[in-house]
């Protein structure tokens, strides 16, 4: 028999979640899974607990209270877990312990095979790049229970997230992302000015925070996602404004925002979402960018990210773009397109704006994907068939490369079924792809063992909106010494390159930032991977060790990616 050494554990964190990855050298006889012990220090108080699992053993009746059980009773049958209960300022450490079924028929911990205690890394206090995330998992058992307990329909639920005074679901779903957005604008009331380029401004709380700045706030506010009515080409139609109410409120408060610039819809979108903060002398100081629209759904029902960049040189790049957009009014003059078509480097970062000529921005993205040596992770909204997705799928076929991602809406040709071969047709040759590593969000529409009925993809799209995952993130070789993170408003699509106002930033050699995004992407991928085949959800834990050989082989095949 092969000797089994103690469990090896790695912990990665981003200030909001902690990702645990562990392994053992050989199958543990009678192992039923692993229990996770956590020590959490919050507001100076230390709490020790066993993390809980919502999934019990097959054949056992689900508990009447529907509540999870400690992992000593319902162990985790796998080698990953994401702890969502770690917040900004918390300190956490973890220990993973094998759980076996003893000769007496009872579950018992194998403490002699437990991992060492491992601390979750904390973000450096003065980092130049600080990411923020929300918790927009509407397709989840948590929201299913919330809707049931509150007696809410999805349409009614959507209204609750608009309430800026809500102290429960809005705050929970919007997470640290919303808090940071409010803090940044509020801090600007005491010094300097704010220059923002926004696609949508439908959230009352965020709108009012900008109104409070008065004439020290300067906005290029687009007219949102106004749809073109076929056959109608009147001037009034061209000036439809999804942000009309917000624009009126801003102007009444003295905010510097034009009445009808930058109106690019229907058709091209003024799709940026960035704010530049200046100092008292008017010099660019910091910039906040990312994927988040300033709407209730952007905050609460979609997966989004924000990135605060504390670097005057990079902030000045965005400030210059703001002035170029203001000058362009509603058009795309050659000077704007020509300027966008040149990359804007600064230290370890390169900023791109669109629209560009000849898709040079997409070429830059493709070059980054092609340079990956170990791992590519991503979250995408609507990448289309002519953008970077085809390159990601091609690289997913390569042995020795770890590729995982979630795409909110896959191009036509990829379907919702997991574990099947499908074909995508885009630029170049059609390609077959095993729909497993790259998944599309879905929910479970029927009770199955321990699985509660969830909001389904179809219900979400009908009642909430088109974006389930709205982040636009590429993370390349995040566990190496020279990782790359790419994020912004750009959907990494052909349309984003040739039609819209967009931005993205490529950031190299920032390991803490890369690992923060790694935690975010893997957490989302694991969440939706469990739901990727709604017809066959996980039926429960097996009460023997048969789960372990296959799972351990998969873990060992990935060991090099995770440092084991």
């Amino acid at each position: 028999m092969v000797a089994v050494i103690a469990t090896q554990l790695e912990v990665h964190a981003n200030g909001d979640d902690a990702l645990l990855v562990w392994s053992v050298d050989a199958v543990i006889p009678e192992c039923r899974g692993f229990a996770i012990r956590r020590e959490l220090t919050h507001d100076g108080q230390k709490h020790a607990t066993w993390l809980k699992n919502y999934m019990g053993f097959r054949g056992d009746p689900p508990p009447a209270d529907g509540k999870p059980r400690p992992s000593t009773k319902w162990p985790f049958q796998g080698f990953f877990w994401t702890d969502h209960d770690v917040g900004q300022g918390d300190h956490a450490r973890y220990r993973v312990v094998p759980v076996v079924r003893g000769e007496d028929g009872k579950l018992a911990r194998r403490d002699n095979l437990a991992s060492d205690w491992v601390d979750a890394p904390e973000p450096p206090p003065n980092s130049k790049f600080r990411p923020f995330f929300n918790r927009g998992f509407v397709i989840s058992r948590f929201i299913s229970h919330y809707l049931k307990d509150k007696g809410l329909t999805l349409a009614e639920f959507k209204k609750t997230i608009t309430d800026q005074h809500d102290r429960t679901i809005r705050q929970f779903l919007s997470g640290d992302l919303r808090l940071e957005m409010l803090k940044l604008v509020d801090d600007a009331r005491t010094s300097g000015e704010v220059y923002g380029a926004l696609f949508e401004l439908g959230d009352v709380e965020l709108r009012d925070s900008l109104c409070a700045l008065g004439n020290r706030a300067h906005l290029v506010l687009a007219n949102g996602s106004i749809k073109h009515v076929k056959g109608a080409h009147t001037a009034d139609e061209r000036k439809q404004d999804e942000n009309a109410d917000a624009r009126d409120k801003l102007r009444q408060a003295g905010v510097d925002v034009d009445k009808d610039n930058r109106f690019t819809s229907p058709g091209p979108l003024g799709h940026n979402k960035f704010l530049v903060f200046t100092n008292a002398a008017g010099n660019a100081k910091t910039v906040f960018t990312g994927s988040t629209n300033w709407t209730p759904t952007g905050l609460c029902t979609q997966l989004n990210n924000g990135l605060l960049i504390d670097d005057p040189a990079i902030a000045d790049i965005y400030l210059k773009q703001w002035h170029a957009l203001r000058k362009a009014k509603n058009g795309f003059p050659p000077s704007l397109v020509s300027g966008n078509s040149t990359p804007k480097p600064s230290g370890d970062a390169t900023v791109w704006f669109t629209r560009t000529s000849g898709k040079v921005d997409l070429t830059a993205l493709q070059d980054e994907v092609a340079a990956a040596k170990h791992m590519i992770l991503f979250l995408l909204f609507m990448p289309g068939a002519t953008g970077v997705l085809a390159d990601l799928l091609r690289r997913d076929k390569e042995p020795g490369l770890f590729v995982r991602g979630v795409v909110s809406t896959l191009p036509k040709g990829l379907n919702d079924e997991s574990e099947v071969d499908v074909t995508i047709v885009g630029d170049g040759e059609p390609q077959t792809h095993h729909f497993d590593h790259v998944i599309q969000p879905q929910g479970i529409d029927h009770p199955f063992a321990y699985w509660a009925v969830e909001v389904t993809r179809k219900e979400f799209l009908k009642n909430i909106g088109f974006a389930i995952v709205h982040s636009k993130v590429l993370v390349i070789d995040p566990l190496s010494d020279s990782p790359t993170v790419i994020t912004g408003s750009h959907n990494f699509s052909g349309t984003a390159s040739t039609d819209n106002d967009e931005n993205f930033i490529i950031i190299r050699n920032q390991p803490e930032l890369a690992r923060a995004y790694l935690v975010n992407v893997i957490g989302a991928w694991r969440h939706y991977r469990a739901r990727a085949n709604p017809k066959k959800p996980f039926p429960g834990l097996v009460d023997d060790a048969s789960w372990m050989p296959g799972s351990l082989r998969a873990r060992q095949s990935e060991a090099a990616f995770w440092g084991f």
Side-chain angles (χ1 to χ4, degrees):
M1 180 180 295
V2 178
V4 181
I5 66 171
T7 307
Q8 302 172 71
L9 171 64
E10 295 285 336
V11 180
H12 306 282
N14 60 15
D16 186 53
D17 290 337
L19 173 67
L20 284 69
V21 187
W22 64 91
S23 188
V24 293
D25 277 1
V27 171
I28 300 172
E30 298 301 326
C31 184
R32 298 305 191 264
F34 296 87
I36 301 175
R37 185 70 168 173
R38 181 188 67 197
E39 288 185 355
L40 179 68
T41 302
H42 176 75
D43 289 339
Q45 300 294 316
K46 182 180 290 187
H47 308 274
T49 187
W50 293 101
L51 295 191
K52 294 181 179 180
N53 192 356
Y54 277 91
M55 190 63 65
F57 287 97
R58 301 178 192 182
D60 291 346
D65 60 11
K67 294 182 179 180
R69 296 291 184 263
S71 48
T72 51
K73 303 297 182 185
W74 289 354
F76 300 114
Q77 290 185 345
F79 296 91
F80 277 110
W81 192 255
T82 301
D83 182 9
H84 296 291
D85 292 332
V86 182
Q88 292 281 347
D90 291 345
H91 175 75
R93 67 178 194 145
Y94 301 87
R95 189 176 189 230
V96 174
V97 186
V99 176
V100 302
R101 180 77 72 184
E103 293 181 359
D104 59 0
K106 296 180 180 180
L107 292 175
R109 303 195 312 267
R110 287 288 304 273
D111 291 325
N112 62 314
L113 298 180
S115 73
D116 293 332
W117 283 98
V118 178
D119 292 279
E122 298 177 18
N126 299 309
S127 176
K128 182 188 299 187
F129 301 99
R130 286 191 286 155
F132 299 88
F133 308 98
N134 68 348
R135 304 187 186 101
F137 288 108
V138 173
I139 296 178
S140 66
R141 282 177 290 183
F142 171 81
I143 293 297
S144 296
H145 287 299
Y146 178 83
L147 295 175
K148 182 179 179 180
D149 292 343
K150 299 294 183 181
L152 296 175
T153 65
L154 266 184
E156 291 168 339
F157 161 77
K158 187 176 180 179
K159 293 179 180 178
T160 67
I161 62 171
T162 67
D163 181 5
Q164 61 180 301
H165 303 294
D166 180 279
R167 293 294 180 267
T168 55
I169 198 65
R170 175 179 165 89
Q171 288 198 1
F172 174 78
L173 292 173
S174 59
D176 292 324
L177 177 60
R178 167 181 152 273
L179 294 178
E180 184 63 19
M181 294 166 75
L182 290 169
K183 179 180 182 299
L184 287 169
V185 177
D186 187 61
D187 287 349
R189 296 171 66 177
T190 60
S191 176
E193 302 193 1
V194 176
Y195 295 80
L198 300 179
F199 173 52
E200 293 177 314
L201 182 54
D203 188 82
V204 172
E205 186 177 29
L206 293 180
R207 181 204 69 194
D208 289 351
S209 72
L210 291 169
C211 286
L213 295 176
N215 62 8
R216 291 176 40 236
H218 312 270
L219 293 184
V220 170
L221 182 60
N223 60 329
S225 55
I226 295 300
K227 301 299 182 184
H228 179 67
V229 179
K230 187 176 181 180
H233 303 282
T234 66
D236 286 341
E237 180 194 26
R238 289 196 300 272
K239 292 185 177 181
Q240 290 183 87
D241 185 8
E242 185 183 46
N243 295 316
D245 290 343
R247 197 181 306 270
D248 287 345
K249 292 289 185 182
L250 292 166
R251 290 175 61 81
Q252 291 167 16
V255 172
D256 170 25
V257 58
D258 286 344
K259 290 179 64 176
D260 54 11
N261 293 328
R262 177 168 178 70
F263 286 21
T264 57
S265 297
L269 302 176
H271 198 238
N272 284 304
K273 333 107 179 9
F274 68 80
L275 260 68
V276 180
F277 300 86
T278 69
N279 58 22
N283 300 316
K285 182 176 59 174
T286 60
V287 59
F288 184 80
T289 185
S291 66
T292 310
N293 285 319
W294 290 49
T295 61
T297 51
L299 291 175
C300 298
T301 67
Q302 310 161 355
L303 282 185
N304 272 308
N305 80 94
L307 179 63
L308 178 62
I309 305 172
D310 187 6
D311 183 301
I314 296 175
D316 191 59
I317 292 172
Y318 284 86
L319 182 58
K320 285 182 170 65
Q321 183 69 8
W322 186 93
H323 285 291
L325 293 171
R326 171 62 69 89
K327 183 179 179 181
K329 297 184 177 179
N330 293 327
F332 290 88
S335 59
L336 179 64
V337 177
S338 175
N340 290 345
S341 301
T342 302
K344 296 163 179 62
S346 179
D348 286 333
T350 302
V351 182
W352 281 90
F353 299 104
T354 68
R355 70 177 61 167
T356 64
S357 297
K359 298 184 178 180
V360 289
D361 53 318
L362 285 182
T363 299
L365 290 169
Q366 290 164 342
D367 288 345
E368 297 296 335
V369 171
K373 296 180 175 63
H374 312 289
M375 184 180 289
I376 308 175
L377 308 175
F378 54 92
L379 297 176
L380 303 177
F381 172 37
M382 297 180 70
T386 61
V388 174
L389 180 60
D391 300 272
L392 294 168
L393 297 183
R394 276 191 286 270
R395 295 231 61 188
D396 183 36
K397 295 179 179 180
E398 297 179 21
L401 193 65
F402 185 95
V403 179
R404 300 289 186 274
V406 185
V407 181
S408 192
T409 299
L410 285 159
K412 188 176 181 180
L414 292 181
N415 62 26
D416 294 344
E417 298 298 322
S418 175
E419 304 290 354
V420 296
D421 289 335
V422 294
T423 300
I424 178 172
V425 179
D427 290 343
E429 292 296 320
Q431 57 178 295
T432 301
H433 178 69
H434 192 63
F435 189 54
D436 181 21
H437 297 165
V438 181
I439 56 178
Q440 184 171 262
Q442 181 57 280
I444 305 302
D445 64 357
H446 56 282
F448 194 99
Y450 291 82
W451 211 287
V453 175
E454 295 179 330
V455 174
T456 65
R457 176 182 179 82
K458 183 177 181 180
E459 291 169 333
F460 184 103
L461 298 178
K462 179 180 178 181
N463 293 281
I464 302 296
F466 292 106
I468 300 173
V469 171
H470 192 255
S471 268
K472 307 92 170 44
V473 173
L474 282 170
V475 192
I476 297 171
D477 296 337
L479 299 179
S480 73
D481 293 332
S482 54
T484 300
V485 172
I486 307 171
T487 191
S489 70
H490 197 297
N491 281 319
F492 307 149
S493 66
T495 299
S497 174
T498 61
D499 291 5
N500 299 344
D501 290 340
E502 304 280 8
N503 72 87
F504 65 83
I505 183 168
I506 303 171
I507 305 168
R508 301 179 181 87
N509 305 318
Q510 297 290 326
E512 292 87 359
L513 180 71
R515 294 178 191 196
Y517 276 99
L518 173 147
V519 173
N520 182 244
V521 175
I522 289 293
W525 181 82
R526 292 191 66 253
H527 180 88
Y528 287 116
R529 180 65 188 85
R531 296 157 173 81
N533 189 344
K535 296 178 181 178
K536 296 181 179 179
F538 182 61
L541 306 175
V542 294
D543 200 0
D544 55 45
S546 63
W547 69 276
M548 197 173 191
S551 294
L552 185 56
R553 281 195 300 273
R555 162 57 65 250
Q556 290 171 339
S557 71
E558 299 171 356
F561 300 122
W562 298 100
F564 295 120

